[in-house]
Amino acid sequence: MIKRAEELTRVVMEKRFGGVGELEVVKLIDEEQFQGKGRLFAHNTLKPGASLGLHAHNGDVETYYILKGEGIINDNGNRQPVKAGDVIFTDNGEQHSLENTGSGNLEFIALVIYV
């Protein structure tokens, strides 16, 4: 199967998980395609100053792969800078947030699978 760019679902979410500004989500595959093993595989964009609020993962794990930009990840209370090429893994029972601290968009791939 091939999904063309124009066929992908695009969603804009305001103040996601209590964050600031907008999160643009482009779903790369639909939840049904995970066949019960996950719920998200998406290309996400946070504009400068925007953030995802702190949220926990219970029953799933999430991986971010930073494609472009820079920001701060809150990894269970440990705040660290991130940039293009970095990978962030949030395990079951852990929590995280992400803030764009750069002057350009912060783009990242997010993958959520069930455990």
Side-chain angles (χ1 to χ4, degrees):
M1 173 194 356
I2 297 173
K3 290 178 105 173
R4 303 292 179 193
E6 60 273 8
E7 299 171 330
L8 300 175
T9 302
R10 288 172 169 74
V11 179
V12 175
M13 300 177 187
E14 298 263 347
K15 301 178 183 176
R16 185 73 171 143
F17 302 116
V20 174
E22 295 179 348
L23 169 69
E24 179 183 310
V25 178
V26 178
K27 295 181 180 181
L28 302 175
I29 63 172
D30 297 318
E31 192 169 343
E32 308 84 58
Q33 293 171 302
F34 277 102
Q35 300 180 16
K37 294 177 175 58
R39 65 178 167 85
L40 181 72
F41 181 50
H43 180 172
N44 298 284
T45 302
L46 287 170
K47 293 188 176 169
S51 65
L52 291 173
L54 187 66
H55 61 283
H57 285 269
N58 295 299
D60 60 34
V61 298
E62 184 166 32
T63 302
Y64 290 163
Y65 176 62
I66 308 296
L67 299 170
K68 181 180 176 183
E70 56 190 53
I72 298 288
I73 188 79
N74 177 341
D75 179 28
N76 295 294
N78 181 15
R79 293 175 51 86
Q80 294 287 323
V82 292
K83 62 183 181 350
D86 290 345
V87 176
I88 299 104
F89 178 75
T90 304
D91 208 348
N92 185 31
E94 295 184 346
Q95 58 184 356
H96 63 164
S97 65
L98 181 62
E99 175 185 356
N100 182 349
T101 58
S103 58
N105 288 345
L106 175 60
E107 297 183 30
F108 59 102
I109 299 294
L111 173 65
V112 178
I113 55 174
Y114 299 131
V115 292

